[in-house]
Amino acid sequence: IFEQNIMVMNKRYITSYVFEKVSNPENGTTKVNVQWTIDFSRLPNMRFLLDFLSNILTNEDFNNIDPSLQYWDHRYYTFSFVTTASSKVSDKDTFNEDTGYHIALMRNQKKALHTYNKLINVINNKIDKYFKKPLDIIRMNNDFDIIDLHMKIDEYRTNIKVRIC
């Protein structure tokens, strides 16, 4: 019953592997543990974006997302984590192992998408902090002069070097 499949959940490349399934007909529960791997390198343009951000993103950025999340070598842009979900039939229903398994698996998928969205938020926050906001500060308007622009760009570069170090 253990399975591995590649799911494209709304064009997100997430590989899942069910490594434990425990059913208890006496109390009507089914528990499923799933190992997930998100491969950002398969998403269009994400690899290039993460190459661009590689000096800014660190393991600490991902520590508060999920205790089971592992941020692997930035060359691969692959995240791995575990989810656990259960299903329980009500007292008036009859226990069905297959139905319980599918309900628990769907709950695991929901948790995986939640973790995926948190990862995307971290990446977006880094883009805002290190690129969009500084670029807004030096945005050109119609009455700029070239010397002033060069001074602002030099100031921006100095600030970025200080932030990264």
Side-chain angles (χ1 to χ4, degrees):
I1 297 218
F2 299 125
E3 59 189 56
Q4 180 171 1
N5 48 22
I6 294 191
M7 286 184 249
V8 181
M9 293 191 268
N10 296 331
K11 300 185 180 179
R12 298 166 179 97
Y13 287 93
I14 304 176
T15 306
S16 65
Y17 173 71
V18 176
F19 66 90
E20 184 180 32
K21 176 187 158 200
V22 179
S23 292
N24 186 343
E26 291 176 11
N27 65 5
T29 60
T30 302
K31 182 179 99 171
V32 177
N33 294 326
V34 182
Q35 174 78 40
W36 299 92
T37 302
I38 299 173
D39 187 356
F40 279 137
S41 69
R42 296 187 62 188
L43 291 170
N45 301 321
M46 182 61 89
R47 183 177 194 105
F48 303 110
L49 177 62
L50 290 173
D51 278 338
F52 192 57
L53 294 174
S54 62
N55 291 328
I56 297 168
L57 290 170
T58 65
N59 285 353
E60 288 76 33
D61 294 316
F62 305 104
N63 284 347
N64 64 350
I65 291 178
D66 185 287
S68 69
L69 184 72
Q70 301 166 3
Y71 178 51
W72 290 340
D73 192 330
H74 73 274
R75 293 172 293 182
Y76 302 112
Y77 308 118
T78 303
F79 294 85
S80 180
F81 59 99
V82 173
T83 59
T84 300
S86 300
S87 66
K88 180 167 177 42
V89 297
S90 66
D91 294 335
K92 60 183 176 182
D93 292 329
T94 306
F95 175 75
N96 181 312
E97 188 173 351
D98 288 338
T99 302
Y101 170 77
H102 288 292
I103 290 169
L105 190 59
M106 288 177 62
R107 289 179 177 166
N108 275 307
Q109 288 175 359
K110 183 178 178 182
K111 289 180 178 184
L113 283 176
H114 181 69
T115 301
Y116 176 93
N117 288 331
K118 284 177 146 183
L119 286 169
I120 294 295
N121 283 340
V122 166
I123 293 166
N124 283 335
N125 287 338
K126 289 295 183 179
I127 291 169
D128 285 346
K129 181 177 180 181
Y130 288 101
F131 298 101
K132 287 184 182 174
K133 288 179 183 174
L135 288 174
D136 284 345
I137 292 170
I138 63 167
R139 187 178 6 191
M140 293 181 277
N141 55 28
N142 292 335
D143 59 348
F144 78 96
D145 66 21
I146 196 69
I147 294 170
D148 185 47
L149 178 63
H150 280 293
M151 287 173 48
K152 287 180 181 178
I153 290 173
D154 288 342
E155 180 182 291
Y156 167 72
R157 287 183 183 152
T158 302
N159 288 338
I160 288 296
K161 286 179 186 174
V162 168
R163 288 181 192 156
I164 291 175
C165 298

